[in-house]
Amino acid sequence: MANPVLPSSGVLSPIGLDAVRLSPGFWGDRAALNREVTIDHCREWEEREGWIGNFRGERPRRGREFSDSEIYKLLEAMAWAGHPGLPALAETVAQAQEGDGYLNTRWSGSRYTDFEWGHELYCYGHLIQAGVARLRTHGEDLLTEVVVKAADHVCRRFMNGTETCGHPVIEMALVELYRTTGTERYLEMARRFVDRRGLPALADIPFGRGYYQDDVPVRQAQVFRGHVVRALYLASGVVDVAIETGDQELLKAVESQWERTVARRTHLTGGMGSRHADESYGEDYELPPDRAYNETCASIASVMLAHRLLLATGDVRYADLTERTLYNMLATGVALDGRSFFYANPLQVRVPAVPHDGVNHAAEGGLRSPWFDVSCCPNNIARTLASLPAYLAAGTGDGIVLHHFTPSEIRHGRLAVRVETGYPWTGSVRVRVLEDGAGRIGLRVPAWAADATLARVPVSAQDAPLPEGPVVRPVSPGYVHADGPWRAGDELRLELPMRPRWTFPDRRIDALRGSAAVERGPLVYCAESVADEPPLGDLTVRAEPPVERPAGDGAEGVVELEVAASLGGSGSKDGWPYGAADAPGDGGDVRLRLIPYHRWGNRGPATMRVWLPTR
Amino acid sequence: MANPVLPSSGVLSPIGLDAVRLSPGFWGDRAALNREVTIDHCREWEEREGWIGNFRGERPRRGREFSDSEIYKLLEAMAWAGHPGLPALAETVAQAQEGDGYLNTRWSGSRYTDFEWGHELYCYGHLIQAGVARLRTHGEDLLTEVVVKAADHVCRRFMNGTETCGHPVIEMALVELYRTTGTERYLEMARRFVDRRGLPALADIPFGRGYYQDDVPVRQAQVFRGHVVRALYLASGVVDVAIETGDQELLKAVESQWERTVARRTHLTGGMGSRHADESYGEDYELPPDRAYNETCASIASVMLAHRLLLATGDVRYADLTERTLYNMLATGVALDGRSFFYANPLQVRVPAVPHDGVNHAAEGGLRSPWFDVSCCPNNIARTLASLPAYLAAGTGDGIVLHHFTPSEIRHGRLAVRVETGYPWTGSVRVRVLEDGAGRIGLRVPAWAADATLARVPVSAQDAPLPEGPVVRPVSPGYVHADGPWRAGDELRLELPMRPRWTFPDRRIDALRGSAAVERGPLVYCAESVADEPPLGDLTVRAEPPVERPAGDGAEGVVELEVAASLGGSGSKDGWPYGAADAPGDGGDVRLRLIPYHRWGNRGPATMRVWLPTR
């Protein structure tokens, strides 16, 4: 089946990417842009930067020690998207593979001399994920040959011993290769990599072993910690190993770590990571809006993990976090043109970008960058958008469940439905049965959706006048279900209330004290100020109901908001910013425009803030 | 004259270290501990780590590329302190000098191949400062020979060209060598290094050229930015160049940069630096208490700069910031035992240290470390405490001015006085004239001291009954003066009000919103909780007048405080830390003990916070 995650058991079962056809709409548009623009954009940059040339033996070798992995992520994206450029790129990669399966353009000649920072197993992990995608969308070919040879090399070299890689990802890759090929040594190798971690397996470093989750064994950890992408890739692999080995204790450990991490180490956007120095979580309740790191890749890793936990348990919390992360992180990481990217995703930006020659390589201050020295994020976005349908729906015993609502057609088992919706701009979701069929249809009512309603409208009743018309019933957050049989034309109509709402932080989040944010549906909103005019530095809002407005740039359907604010009062503490209690700002009252966070950074250098100081 | 800073002109003039004799008291005790314990501690560690052995040619070379500079800072400390170990250490250093004056244990053989990160000129800078200290306390010897040879080498190699060093310090070192030797090429070399910076002179790096102040010429900069120690060492050298070349514009530029930096980029403790990733300032109003970096060395650099500006202008603001920084940063950087140190000085610590084998090499979580891989801070503390008298008082046209009050005897011109005080614990300062003399005596009334009074008490009136007794007059913050002539036994009695006060942050400091701190006199207070029992994570205080208490550990004279608080209520937002408006905490009411910030971290692993959330 064409799907990146195929566990052999679980409450929910994956359905094939080809079973979900995206139509124009929020995600359909983004998937199309990715297929048509972003994938080629990535390939062009990887060629230009010499990272592809490394595989042809061009010297001097260029790029960071892990640059091979970017080409592999891109190959995975190409595989899921059915991109015609895959065979040629795979052929280039194959040139660099050595006779025993070893493949790495940086460390050939000094193999396995730096497990802490060398990233060799990390690169194999991404290579294997690309191979898995190819096997599941196409079948065996040169790429999959390379991948199997590399995986066999890894198993020979590492099955016995105590070594593992400073950057996890090999674990989930090997389990997926096992799931596809049935070769049990891949699972066993993954299991051993998981078990070795934290014994410890790696050297101590200035960041501490927690940086690469080698401080304690996975089973004993209480929370995700250290480098966020490493932590979440590892946890994803741990879930995969737990599922395939039936290790309930291991699964529970990850669930409990996830729970504390979401409760204490996650930003409102679903982003994770509060420290720039080591791209790490930081401590419980350390959630600064300005220095939030929230790496785009970390959000993708978070979706990968939550998806695995959702399939395993069916617990709606995992889908809720996935929705938050998709709409506010994945959609933010790439610009509306598909060619520029955020690496970090802070919730407050105080100074507009100062681009050099029109380019802002740091991707700070409201301008995305077309590329990075470490360009994991663009390729990671490409492979995720290319496989997005995997996350939208799942199979149940006798039916389907829709986690996320976007215009699409879904076929699974004896069910074929069309989803029609303006979500996330409107809260009306219509699920129309396309052919006579049977099976239960489940719909997720998001955690934020109080007062939602569901109506079942048989095709026979669609023209009937009230009171013979459809019965509308209130539904609570969680999954709601409707059972078949179904006639073609039958409909489920879900109404999610799309009132903007003020959201306040837990008292323990010191960095957000005295401020509030606005959300509407699954979207987090923010104030964006181009060139910081008007200035957002000394802002106060009144938490009165926000007013809905059409988008300032005319984008169809997009909902913007307005709130009452006072802007740009002069600071009271002259010369020294601490002293007697402050007087209220003397800035004039204004109507402050809020836009969806994922749409910020498309208007040039700007300041921005999600959390708004309240009176 | 024995003083690290000897400008040839300025509103105030330095007085010799030997003109100020510290008696037992806040600073006298610390200076003695430094002389008797800390200097030897540093030498032992530098021997143990192999950094001294590098000069003997021991291989492999050990330590970071700039480790030579630590030995030079230590030599400077030894020179000011009159430490008998200096000649032997200088002899070791001299062994590594090459025939043309070049001296660097790391780059010998690949000289000047990395101006961005090589630190060669930085090392010379510290070497020259050690030599200047030796010349001013002892006169010529082997060390000063080495230094002059090195300085001449630098002038030959760099007088023409465009190169400079990624880490400033050479500038102020060369000016001081000029001041002592009269050799004008040292001044000219310093001037050129200053002028080259920002043209730019160095390569762009991922942190940006602002990291090493090479983004714009010094004259055009608006604020201190980038790596804090680099910025402040540079600015100190710029002031020195401006003074000796009579460049008023250059001096004004630094004054204006200082002003904005103090108003927007300085923590309550006087600490500077808000980012760990690049040890940099961060942006205006980016002042997080938990991730405050506030490197100990940066505070020393800040004192060096403020002292230069104070001498040049006589403006009390520079002395006010110096006082704040000395009491809350320098005094905090070293433990009460003189053998362990903080590198970063945050204003909030959420998690107690987890020491390994009793040592906490990161010096986080309330335990100082005896040493660091980068051990600039211990040596910097040592040289600063060894030359501390330089900062306490200055000469005026016909008298002296006392910037800081600590038990001491001061002789200058026709004045000899003894300062008797329990400051900073009490606000009574008695300045007693020791011999008949003349000249104006100035005393600084700190900015925080509203309602201070000054009494002049002639020796003749000391036994007189009221109303014939001394006249007490109110004095305002700034310098107050009393003119001679003086009779032995005459006294000035300054009374500074030592009421604890609540201090609130400027509205624009997002990270401190909704919280307040307590200060008393020059001291910032904090709550410290050993092993986080009771937990400080969910704390609310009432900003009612704090109550004074004797020190919990029995330390004589030390004043602690108590405030009303609610501690450890349960968080209201279960599972997801954002939602509807929060209820007040349900923790019980307690009396929360506050201790002087500089005394925290002497009781084992602990949590701590300066800024206390208010109701």
Side-chain angles (χ1 to χ4, degrees):
Chain A
M1 187 189 290
N3 188 305
V5 188
L6 295 181
S8 63
S9 67
V11 172
L12 300 175
S13 54
I15 62 179
L17 300 184
D18 44 1
V20 181
R21 208 171 66 203
L22 294 174
S23 320
F26 193 95
W27 289 114
D29 295 351
R30 282 168 170 77
L33 186 70
N34 181 61
R35 204 167 46 239
E36 290 155 18
V37 174
T38 305
I39 288 178
D40 286 328
H41 173 90
C42 290
R43 184 176 55 179
E44 283 156 23
W45 272 93
E46 282 160 27
E47 192 62 76
R48 184 189 312 186
E49 296 280 320
W51 304 350
I52 294 177
N54 291 337
F55 288 94
R56 295 186 207 106
E58 290 165 14
R59 290 297 174 265
R61 183 187 178 280
R62 292 170 62 190
R64 294 287 298 269
E65 64 273 24
F66 41 72
S67 68
D68 291 1
S69 74
E70 309 311 347
I71 283 74
Y72 304 152
K73 289 187 200 102
L74 178 62
L75 279 168
E76 185 189 340
M78 288 175 157
W80 298 127
H83 191 285
L86 186 145
L89 187 54
E91 207 167 299
T92 304
V93 165
Q95 293 174 29
Q97 189 166 39
E98 301 181 28
D100 66 347
Y102 184 88
L103 175 50
N104 191 292
T105 71
R106 166 64 183 82
W107 296 102
S108 172
S110 56
R111 290 181 183 191
Y112 306 124
T113 49
D114 184 354
F115 286 97
E116 284 71 27
W117 299 107
H119 287 81
E120 282 158 292
L121 289 166
Y122 169 80
C123 288
Y124 287 127
H126 281 298
L127 174 66
I128 292 169
Q129 289 181 324
V132 166
R134 188 63 170 167
L135 281 169
R136 291 180 183 169
T137 51
H138 173 275
E140 293 180 11
D141 70 353
L142 176 63
L143 176 60
T144 69
E145 246 175 65
V146 167
V147 165
V148 168
K149 221 168 122 185
D152 289 342
H153 159 77
V154 168
C155 293
R156 277 195 310 276
R157 173 66 179 73
F158 293 100
M159 191 64 77
N160 299 308
T162 60
E163 293 148 326
T164 191
C165 184
H167 199 316
V169 82
I170 184 81
E171 300 81 359
M172 65 171 140
L174 283 169
V175 176
E176 224 59 62
L177 187 60
Y178 153 75
R179 285 168 172 168
T180 283
T181 62
T183 308
E184 294 202 351
R185 67 174 167 277
Y186 301 145
L187 174 61
E188 178 60 16
M189 185 73 259
R191 193 185 66 73
R192 294 189 184 189
F193 280 139
V194 166
D195 278 356
R196 282 170 199 173
R197 218 166 188 94
L199 294 179
L202 297 162
D204 205 1
I205 51 173
F207 290 143
R209 282 201 179 89
Y211 172 78
Y212 36 45
Q213 297 75 46
D214 193 39
D215 49 344
V216 289
V218 167
R219 279 170 217 277
Q220 292 165 28
Q222 306 293 313
V223 68
F224 300 143
R225 69 226 172 274
H227 187 272
V228 180
V229 175
R230 283 173 166 82
L232 294 171
Y233 280 0
L234 175 64
S236 297
V238 172
V239 172
D240 290 339
V241 166
I243 295 294
E244 299 310 325
T245 62
D247 190 334
Q248 284 299 312
E249 178 201 273
L250 195 56
L251 178 64
K252 287 282 173 218
V254 176
E255 284 188 88
S256 138
Q257 293 160 27
W258 182 91
E259 196 164 336
R260 174 163 155 192
T261 302
V262 171
R264 304 186 185 187
R265 301 187 173 195
T266 304
H267 293 267
L268 184 63
T269 52
M272 295 183 183
S274 288
R275 295 187 177 179
H276 284 238
D278 55 354
E279 309 187 303
S280 74
Y281 275 99
E283 291 156 2
D284 285 356
Y285 302 112
E286 180 185 323
L287 294 161
D290 50 354
R291 294 294 283 170
Y293 194 67
N294 288 349
E295 186 183 337
T296 301
C297 286
S299 70
I300 288 168
S302 173
V303 167
M304 293 169 83
L305 173 61
H307 178 60
R308 283 162 168 78
L309 291 169
L310 177 63
L311 291 176
T313 67
D315 189 329
V316 71
R317 296 179 306 166
Y318 300 117
D320 282 336
L321 186 74
T322 297
E323 171 172 85
R324 181 175 290 278
T325 309
L326 290 176
Y327 281 100
N328 299 295
M329 289 291 302
L330 183 66
T332 310
V334 54
L336 297 177
D337 67 1
R339 295 181 174 279
S340 58
F341 308 90
F342 280 144
Y343 196 108
N345 294 276
L347 281 73
Q348 177 178 9
V349 169
R350 286 195 187 82
V351 179
V354 182
H356 299 278
D357 307 325
V359 176
N360 177 28
H361 288 290
E364 292 176 343
L367 269 193
R368 292 174 183 79
S369 172
W371 205 245
F372 305 96
D373 288 342
V374 176
S375 249
C376 42
C377 298
N379 297 292
N380 230 340
I381 287 173
R383 70 174 182 147
T384 306
L385 284 172
S387 55
L388 193 71
Y391 302 107
L392 304 182
T396 57
D398 63 343
I400 57 172
V401 59
L402 308 185
H403 304 305
H404 308 291
F405 310 119
T406 199
S408 52
E409 283 187 21
I410 304 175
R411 288 165 189 277
H412 181 73
R414 290 180 296 160
L415 281 168
V417 299
R418 177 187 302 140
V419 179
E420 293 167 5
T421 181
Y423 198 83
W425 312 114
T426 74
S428 298
V429 179
R430 181 181 295 222
V431 179
R432 188 177 177 85
V433 175
L434 297 177
E435 297 160 12
D436 292 357
R440 171 176 267 203
I441 298 176
L443 302 174
R444 184 177 64 91
V445 179
W448 51 263
D451 309 322
T453 61
L454 181 68
R456 179 168 183 157
V457 191
V459 63
S460 58
Q462 278 168 21
D463 297 323
L466 290 170
E468 292 77 19
V471 178
V472 178
R473 63 175 169 117
V475 288
S476 301
Y479 289 105
V480 293
H481 299 280
D483 288 308
W486 301 95
R487 292 273 312 280
D490 285 356
E491 282 186 8
L492 292 171
R493 295 179 189 167
L494 179 66
E495 290 292 334
L496 302 170
M498 281 291 176
R499 285 183 299 277
R501 60 192 189 277
W502 285 97
T503 297
F504 299 84
D506 187 291
R507 282 195 310 277
R508 291 165 290 192
I509 305 176
D510 295 295
L512 302 180
R513 187 164 291 118
S515 61
V518 177
E519 299 179 276
R520 181 182 180 278
L523 301 183
V524 172
Y525 278 69
C526 68
E528 180 182 22
S529 181
V530 176
D532 200 32
E533 282 300 330
L536 298 183
D538 187 5
L539 167 74
T540 330
V541 296
R542 287 197 296 274
E544 296 164 0
V547 177
E548 301 196 352
R549 297 285 181 214
D553 62 1
E556 206 180 336
V558 170
V559 178
E560 297 184 354
L561 302 172
E562 250 181 34
V563 296
S566 159
L567 264 178
S570 63
S572 60
K573 296 182 170 63
D574 207 29
W576 179 243
Y578 312 99
D582 219 349
D586 55 6
D589 279 0
V590 297
R591 303 292 301 171
L592 180 68
R593 182 60 69 107
L594 305 182
I595 65 170
Y597 176 75
H598 74 262
R599 290 178 63 84
W600 102 276
N602 284 291
R603 302 191 290 161
T607 57
M608 180 274 295
R609 58 192 309 163
V610 167
W611 291 100
L612 309 169
T614 53
R615 288 263 161 89
Chain B
M1 187 189 290
N3 188 304
V5 187
L6 294 181
S8 64
S9 67
V11 172
L12 300 176
S13 55
I15 62 178
L17 300 184
D18 43 3
V20 181
R21 208 171 67 204
L22 294 175
S23 320
F26 192 95
W27 289 114
D29 295 350
R30 282 169 171 78
L33 187 70
N34 182 60
R35 205 168 45 241
E36 291 155 18
V37 173
T38 306
I39 288 178
D40 286 326
H41 173 89
C42 289
R43 185 177 53 180
E44 283 157 23
W45 272 94
E46 281 160 29
E47 193 62 76
R48 185 189 312 186
E49 295 281 319
W51 304 350
I52 294 177
N54 291 337
F55 288 94
R56 296 187 206 106
E58 291 166 13
R59 291 293 173 267
R61 185 187 178 280
R62 293 169 62 190
R64 294 287 297 269
E65 64 275 23
F66 40 72
S67 68
D68 292 1
S69 74
E70 309 311 346
I71 282 73
Y72 304 153
K73 288 187 202 105
L74 179 61
L75 280 167
E76 185 188 342
M78 288 174 158
W80 297 127
H83 191 286
L86 186 146
L89 187 54
E91 206 167 300
T92 305
V93 165
Q95 293 175 30
Q97 189 166 40
E98 301 181 27
D100 65 347
Y102 183 89
L103 175 48
N104 191 292
T105 70
R106 166 65 182 80
W107 297 100
S108 172
S110 55
R111 290 181 183 192
Y112 305 125
T113 48
D114 185 353
F115 285 97
E116 284 72 27
W117 298 107
H119 288 79
E120 281 157 294
L121 289 166
Y122 169 80
C123 288
Y124 287 126
H126 281 298
L127 175 65
I128 292 168
Q129 290 180 324
V132 166
R134 188 62 170 166
L135 281 170
R136 292 181 183 168
T137 51
H138 172 275
E140 293 180 12
D141 71 353
L142 177 63
L143 176 59
T144 69
E145 243 176 68
V146 166
V147 164
V148 168
K149 219 167 124 185
D152 289 342
H153 160 78
V154 167
C155 293
R156 278 196 308 277
R157 173 66 178 74
F158 293 100
M159 191 63 77
N160 298 307
T162 59
E163 293 149 327
T164 192
C165 184
H167 199 316
V169 84
I170 184 80
E171 300 81 359
M172 63 171 142
L174 283 169
V175 176
E176 224 58 62
L177 187 61
Y178 153 75
R179 286 169 173 168
T180 283
T181 62
T183 308
E184 295 203 352
R185 67 174 169 277
Y186 301 145
L187 174 61
E188 178 61 15
M189 186 72 258
R191 194 186 66 74
R192 294 190 185 190
F193 281 140
V194 166
D195 277 356
R196 283 171 197 172
R197 217 164 190 96
L199 293 179
L202 298 162
D204 204 1
I205 50 173
F207 290 144
R209 282 201 178 89
Y211 171 78
Y212 35 45
Q213 298 76 46
D214 193 39
D215 49 343
V216 290
V218 167
R219 279 168 217 277
Q220 292 165 30
Q222 305 294 312
V223 68
F224 300 142
R225 68 228 173 273
H227 188 273
V228 180
V229 175
R230 283 171 166 82
L232 294 171
Y233 280 0
L234 175 65
S236 297
V238 172
V239 172
D240 290 339
V241 166
I243 295 295
E244 299 309 326
T245 61
D247 190 335
Q248 284 300 314
E249 179 199 274
L250 196 55
L251 179 62
K252 288 282 173 219
V254 177
E255 285 188 86
S256 137
Q257 292 160 28
W258 183 91
E259 197 163 335
R260 174 163 155 192
T261 303
V262 172
R264 304 185 185 186
R265 299 186 174 196
T266 304
H267 294 267
L268 183 63
T269 52
M272 296 183 183
S274 290
R275 295 187 176 179
H276 284 239
D278 56 354
E279 309 187 302
S280 75
Y281 275 101
E283 291 156 2
D284 285 354
Y285 303 112
E286 181 185 324
L287 294 161
D290 50 353
R291 294 295 281 169
Y293 194 65
N294 288 349
E295 186 182 338
T296 301
C297 287
S299 71
I300 288 167
S302 172
V303 167
M304 293 168 83
L305 173 61
H307 178 60
R308 283 162 168 77
L309 292 169
L310 176 62
L311 291 176
T313 66
D315 190 329
V316 71
R317 295 180 305 166
Y318 301 118
D320 282 336
L321 186 74
T322 297
E323 170 171 86
R324 183 175 289 279
T325 309
L326 289 177
Y327 281 100
N328 300 295
M329 288 291 302
L330 183 66
T332 311
V334 53
L336 297 177
D337 67 0
R339 295 181 175 278
S340 57
F341 308 89
F342 280 144
Y343 196 109
N345 293 277
L347 281 74
Q348 178 179 8
V349 168
R350 285 195 187 81
V351 179
V354 182
H356 298 279
D357 307 326
V359 178
N360 177 29
H361 288 289
E364 292 176 343
L367 268 194
R368 292 174 183 78
S369 172
W371 206 244
F372 304 97
D373 289 341
V374 176
S375 249
C376 41
C377 299
N379 298 291
N380 231 339
I381 287 174
R383 68 174 182 147
T384 306
L385 284 172
S387 56
L388 193 72
Y391 301 107
L392 303 182
T396 57
D398 63 344
I400 57 171
V401 58
L402 308 184
H403 305 304
H404 307 291
F405 310 118
T406 200
S408 51
E409 285 188 20
I410 304 176
R411 289 166 189 276
H412 181 72
R414 292 181 294 160
L415 281 168
V417 299
R418 178 186 302 142
V419 180
E420 293 168 5
T421 181
Y423 197 83
W425 310 116
T426 75
S428 298
V429 180
R430 179 182 300 221
V431 179
R432 188 177 178 84
V433 175
L434 297 177
E435 298 161 12
D436 291 358
R440 173 176 267 201
I441 298 176
L443 302 173
R444 185 178 62 92
V445 179
W448 51 262
D451 309 322
T453 62
L454 181 67
R456 179 170 183 157
V457 191
V459 64
S460 58
Q462 278 170 20
D463 297 324
L466 288 171
E468 292 78 20
V471 179
V472 177
R473 63 175 169 117
V475 288
S476 300
Y479 288 105
V480 292
H481 299 278
D483 288 309
W486 303 94
R487 292 276 312 281
D490 284 354
E491 282 186 8
L492 293 171
R493 294 180 190 167
L494 180 66
E495 290 291 333
L496 302 170
M498 281 290 177
R499 285 184 297 279
R501 60 193 189 276
W502 285 98
T503 297
F504 299 83
D506 186 291
R507 284 195 308 277
R508 291 165 289 191
I509 306 177
D510 294 295
L512 302 180
R513 187 165 291 116
S515 60
V518 177
E519 298 179 276
R520 181 181 179 278
L523 301 183
V524 172
Y525 278 70
C526 68
E528 180 182 22
S529 181
V530 176
D532 200 34
E533 283 298 333
L536 299 183
D538 187 5
L539 167 73
T540 330
V541 296
R542 287 197 296 274
E544 297 164 359
V547 178
E548 301 195 354
R549 296 284 182 217
D553 62 2
E556 206 180 337
V558 170
V559 178
E560 296 184 354
L561 303 172
E562 249 181 35
V563 296
S566 158
L567 266 178
S570 63
S572 61
K573 295 183 168 65
D574 207 29
W576 179 242
Y578 311 99
D582 219 349
D586 56 6
D589 279 359
V590 297
R591 303 293 300 171
L592 181 67
R593 181 60 69 109
L594 304 182
I595 65 169
Y597 176 73
H598 74 262
R599 290 179 63 84
W600 102 274
N602 284 292
R603 302 191 290 160
T607 57
M608 182 274 294
R609 57 192 308 164
V610 167
W611 291 100
L612 310 169
T614 53
R615 287 266 162 87

